Amino acid sequence: MKCWICRTEYAATREHLVKASDLKALFGKPSQAKPLFFSASNHQSRSRCRNVKVGSLKSDTLKFEHRICLTCNSKRTQPYDYAWEHGSLELRSAVSWLLEEGSFRANWLFPYDTRRCMLHMHLYFTKLFGCLLVEDSIPIDVAPFAKALTEGQPHPRIYLAFGYLPLPVVAAGGSAVFTDPYLLNGQVAFASWLYHVGDLAVKVMYARPGEQPPVPM
Ligand SMILES: [Zn+2]
């Protein structure tokens, strides 16, 4: 099977559902003696599972079922991964200050090369969202996602919002993709998805071309 991002190389590797660095930041490094517990009940393509023991951050349990190619999973999207690794760390370590301020400036989050780093963080979530669309066969055209990722340009219909969402337990993960039930020409008009690491939530929103951008959380 060809990789959905580049559409040229053989899809042989699997992307993490939740970034390994986010899991490591929250839980440390798991081991067979000190495993993580993985639960999934929302992803359509996954069989329901609860508290599956995971002894390594490289475990396939933590990854999407479908595959992308090695180049897209490593060299092509690594700058996007690093941008989120930095963004996640900074946002989580400044929660109390951010709650007082209510917002942050991009050049606070990325003091150097701000515009490019913000773009890369946007592309990290564009990649994950695209993987979710493919995984769950959601009727949204992934070609603009692939174009954004390969050209390093923003997806003009993807929006991110960051928020504080306290959870009763320490957890990291993603919701199911919420889609507007009304299709036009077989395509979804609006979709959103929530990624969370600890109490930090990232809402990823999509609006089809021609539709108003969605209102954040
Ligand atoms: Zn590829």
Side-chain angles (χ1 to χ4, degrees), residues 53 59 74 85 112 132 150 158-159 164 181 185 189 204 206 213:
K53 271 190 187 178
S59 164
S74 54
E85 199 171 322
Y112 307 104
L132 283 164
T150 51
I158 288 285
Y159 309 86
Y164 177 67
N185 301 324
V204 185
Y206 164 85

Side-chain angles (χ1 to χ4, degrees), residues 1-4 6-13 67-71:
M1 196 180 68
K2 290 271 170 67
C3 165
W4 73 265
C6 62
R7 284 169 290 179
T8 50
E9 289 187 41
Y10 175 67
T13 65
R67 290 160 199 267
I68 58 178
C69 79
L70 185 61
T71 309

